[in-house]
Amino acid sequence: MKARAGIDRAFRIGEVDPRLFGSFVEHLGRAVYGGIYQPDHPSADARGFRGDVLALVRELGIPLVRYPGGNFVSSFNWEDSVGAPGDRPTRLDLAWRSVEPNRFGLQEFLSWCGEAGAQPMLAVNLGTRGIDAARELVEYCNFPSGTRLSDLRRSHGAESPYGVELWCLGNEMDGPWQVGQKTAREYGRLARESAKAMRLVDPQLELVACGSSYPAMPSFPRWEAEVLDECYDQVEYLSLHSYYGNEAGDRMEYLAAAEGMDGFIRSVRAVCDFVKADKRSGKTMKLAFDEWNVWYHTKAEDRHEAPWQIGPRLLEEHYTFDDALVVGSLLITLLRHADRVKIACMAQLVNVIAPIMTEPDGPAWRQTTFYPFLHASRYGRGISLDLRVESPSYDTKTYGSVPYLTAAAVLDEEAGELAIFAVNRSPTEGLELDLGLSGFAGWRVFEHIEYRADHAAARGASQSRQSRPGEEAAPGQELPEGDVPGRCLPGRRLPERRSDLPSLQGDRLVAGLAALSWNVLRLSAPARSE
Ligand code: AHR
């Protein structure tokens, strides 16, 4: 099959905000206890932070982490999570029907962020609590000194304010599962008044209002319109959440999931712009896609997990190669909307629908989805260029005609590098990509990273639950290669560097994209030697 695409250096979508490669840690399952925090693990430091997890988080270059929920935040009392850990109360977490010992809390998270090199994005509880708790939490975190709460923080060992800038005003407040669910009007007013009070404490804050929990909510997109009608002037971002899966066992439909994300973003943009026009506002609402990922393997099993445990095994998805391809195409979609989507959080980071998994008595290891995220985070920073694609397509029930090829281009002007991210969704045919490059005379390809299904593993991969690390690979399957600390699942290929690099013929580049593959083509400017 052949596909054509083109970019022009002058045709820019917008600057990629590094926070597009954010993540999320919720008090849920083993995300915290046994994930980022496990004092009895051999790699843990004096604070109980797992060093093997931190190393993988740093490898991903995650600039932003959302915390502490998620649904968890809607019945969370922040005061329980500060002060001497031994004095903190044990509570019921109603969202996940777990026991929360509060051994790891706000203080620990904020110092963990320092270790990880990530900016914190804190959520306030607008479920069971409201304006008062929100403004007090901002005072605790950000006010310098001389008040009860700022001095309380200092007495907890944090002399300087934490300076937390980015805050979520609640979580998924439209959802019937949410403790303290609200109507759009109720929530919009509460978000507005909470924002007002929080900003009176600290005028520097950036605030995110809750959009719909997912696009299939019956109230979407009226929820967005009504919420913004109430709080447009008080917030900088509107949130989007969406998870994708292959519950129906239809691979081609599943591989097209990014089309759903694309349509969702377009709709939310349109609603924001409607409210902007309606209010005669000069402000353009930015988007925070602060929960996105693949989530479907474990939903049925999770219902059987016994309630009221500390750190139960919940939402422990073991990802397949198809899942990695879908994650890659979702990242491409986010890059293609980089002018408007300024924040995105892959949900979540460790053990819970996560690219990183841990064994309690063993290593931390990388899932298949780790790799496209790693590549996008590493090479996807700069200016997102408007890459136009003409590709053969296939028919789907949900999205109509879907191109086999989806791709994005990011130019790092300072480094003199261009990265092309491309997914070939065809399970049977390679694609010959003919890419026109205007404004890139003399550039050359210096790397082609390819992540593709090996055919044994690819067959039915989207349906089967995968084995755990340490288990034997089936005969004929490939074991992970290379000297990799942590590992992909047995039988899974790792991404490889192709040796047959394509060259530029004038302003055209012709590259081969294998069937079912994630690709990163990296080009450098003439003067640069890599
Ligand atoms: O990320 C898991 C859960 O999904 C979050 O707690 C919630 O916000 C969403 O429904």
Side-chain angles (χ1 to χ4, degrees):
M1 278 192 300
K2 292 188 181 202
R4 289 186 343 140
I7 50 173
D8 187 312
R9 198 169 174 160
F11 296 167
R12 297 163 176 233
I13 291 172
E15 183 145 6
V16 179
D17 189 318
R19 295 176 303 172
L20 205 66
F21 307 108
S23 189
F24 176 30
V25 170
E26 176 169 6
H27 282 255
L28 192 187
R30 297 194 304 127
V32 172
Y33 303 108
I36 60 176
Y37 174 81
Q38 190 186 337
D40 64 357
H41 191 268
S43 75
D45 68 9
R47 291 161 296 181
F49 302 163
R50 272 186 74 146
D52 55 355
V53 172
L54 268 171
L56 293 179
V57 172
R58 290 191 194 109
E59 185 179 330
L60 287 175
I62 287 172
L64 170 88
V65 182
R66 181 169 176 253
Y67 176 87
N71 297 336
F72 172 82
V73 79
S74 292
S75 51
F76 170 63
N77 296 333
W78 70 265
E79 301 86 342
D80 296 344
S81 78
V82 296
D87 296 340
R88 298 179 194 167
T90 294
R91 294 274 197 181
L92 292 183
D93 158 32
L94 303 182
W96 302 103
R97 305 186 73 221
S98 302
V99 168
E100 174 51 59
N102 282 304
R103 290 289 166 149
F104 184 100
L106 280 174
Q107 281 170 227
E108 289 75 22
F109 175 71
L110 292 167
S111 54
W112 181 87
C113 278
E115 292 296 322
Q119 176 193 2
M121 179 189 201
L122 292 185
V124 296
N125 174 355
L126 295 190
T128 57
R129 304 193 67 187
I131 305 169
D132 210 31
R135 60 138 186 151
E136 291 201 340
L137 177 54
V138 176
E139 181 180 328
Y140 177 88
C141 289
N142 289 4
F143 201 76
S145 65
T147 65
R148 188 174 72 80
L149 292 170
S150 56
D151 288 343
L152 182 67
R153 181 201 67 239
R154 293 170 65 226
S155 76
H156 294 157
E159 182 59 37
S160 306
Y162 288 116
V164 178
E165 287 171 5
L166 192 57
W167 298 77
C168 303
L169 300 169
N171 177 70
E172 297 189 351
M173 300 309 302
D174 58 333
W177 58 88
Q178 203 68 221
V179 179
Q181 181 197 10
K182 294 181 172 49
T183 66
R185 288 285 163 198
E186 285 168 348
Y187 169 69
R189 283 177 54 79
L190 179 59
R192 180 180 76 206
E193 295 306 315
S194 303
K196 200 161 82 186
M198 291 163 77
R199 261 220 189 86
L200 284 167
V201 180
D202 182 350
Q204 306 301 323
L205 305 186
E206 287 200 293
L207 301 174
V208 185
C210 294
S212 295
S213 301
Y214 57 103
M217 285 296 285
S219 51
F220 173 77
R222 275 171 293 109
W223 170 274
E224 278 72 5
E226 289 182 25
V227 165
L228 288 181
D229 189 43
E230 296 290 345
C231 67
Y232 195 90
D233 293 340
Q234 282 75 27
V235 301
E236 284 68 41
Y237 302 88
L238 183 69
S239 76
L240 295 84
H241 290 184
S242 195
Y243 294 94
Y244 303 90
N246 185 16
E247 286 87 349
D250 184 335
R251 171 186 258 176
M252 296 313 290
E253 203 75 15
Y254 176 46
L255 291 175
E259 299 292 304
M261 178 190 250
D262 181 67
F264 183 32
I265 295 172
R266 287 177 195 279
S267 300
V268 176
R269 284 174 85 128
V271 178
C272 291
D273 292 345
F274 165 79
V275 179
K276 176 182 178 181
D278 193 44
K279 289 188 174 294
R280 278 67 171 157
S281 172
K283 177 168 97 181
T284 299
M285 188 62 55
K286 293 178 276 193
L287 305 183
F289 212 126
D290 55 24
E291 284 189 35
W292 69 269
N293 206 346
V294 164
W295 175 14
Y296 68 107
H297 295 284
T298 56
K299 278 189 173 158
E301 290 167 34
D302 285 341
R303 292 195 194 103
H304 304 302
E305 192 69 29
W308 313 129
Q309 304 176 57
I310 298 174
R313 284 188 181 262
L314 288 175
L315 282 62
E316 299 211 359
E317 300 269 295
H318 283 225
Y319 289 120
T320 64
F321 178 79
D322 283 6
D323 299 333
L325 272 194
V326 169
V327 162
S329 56
L330 295 172
L331 285 160
I332 284 172
T333 306
L334 291 170
L335 288 169
R336 294 181 67 92
H337 287 282
D339 55 333
R340 210 59 191 270
V341 182
K342 292 295 173 187
I343 293 170
C345 302
M346 185 194 225
Q348 299 192 8
L349 184 60
V350 186
N351 288 331
V352 171
I353 41 175
I356 300 170
M357 298 297 289
T358 68
E359 295 303 306
D361 304 318
W365 51 280
R366 303 170 180 83
Q367 297 239 44
T368 55
T369 54
F370 185 97
Y371 296 101
F373 190 93
L374 172 75
H375 300 149
S377 169
R378 220 174 245 180
Y379 308 125
R381 303 190 188 205
I383 308 289
S384 177
L385 298 179
D386 188 4
L387 191 152
R388 298 290 170 104
V389 170
E390 270 178 39
S391 159
S393 55
Y394 64 99
D395 290 332
T396 63
K397 291 191 274 293
T398 321
Y399 313 107
S401 173
V402 170
Y404 285 109
L405 173 67
T406 181
V410 178
L411 172 65
D412 180 342
E413 288 186 305
E414 213 175 305
E417 282 190 23
L418 173 70
I420 311 285
F421 302 96
V423 166
N424 176 5
R425 293 173 164 129
S426 169
T428 49
E429 285 190 62
L431 264 179
E432 186 183 284
L433 170 63
D434 184 340
L435 177 66
L437 294 151
S438 171
F440 294 93
W443 287 54
R444 67 183 187 87
V445 180
F446 68 94
E447 190 174 32
H448 180 174
I449 302 169
E450 179 184 74
Y451 191 22
R452 69 185 163 93
D454 73 276
H455 297 298
R459 266 198 303 276
S462 56
Q463 286 150 47
S464 61
R465 186 188 163 89
Q466 302 299 311
S467 50
R468 297 224 166 125
E471 289 175 0
E472 292 300 311
Q477 283 185 312
E478 288 178 53
L479 285 167
E481 319 148 9
D483 177 20
V484 188
R487 50 190 138 162
C488 197
L489 292 169
R492 289 280 161 272
R493 262 178 194 281
L494 294 171
E496 288 168 1
R497 297 181 80 183
R498 274 179 70 151
S499 50
D500 56 337
L501 293 181
S503 53
L504 257 73
Q505 310 293 334
D507 61 358
R508 285 181 55 217
L509 170 71
V510 180
L513 308 179
L516 279 187
S517 64
W518 158 259
N519 301 268
V520 188
L521 286 154
R522 299 180 64 208
L523 287 80
S524 57
R528 188 184 159 276
S529 57
E530 72 271 11

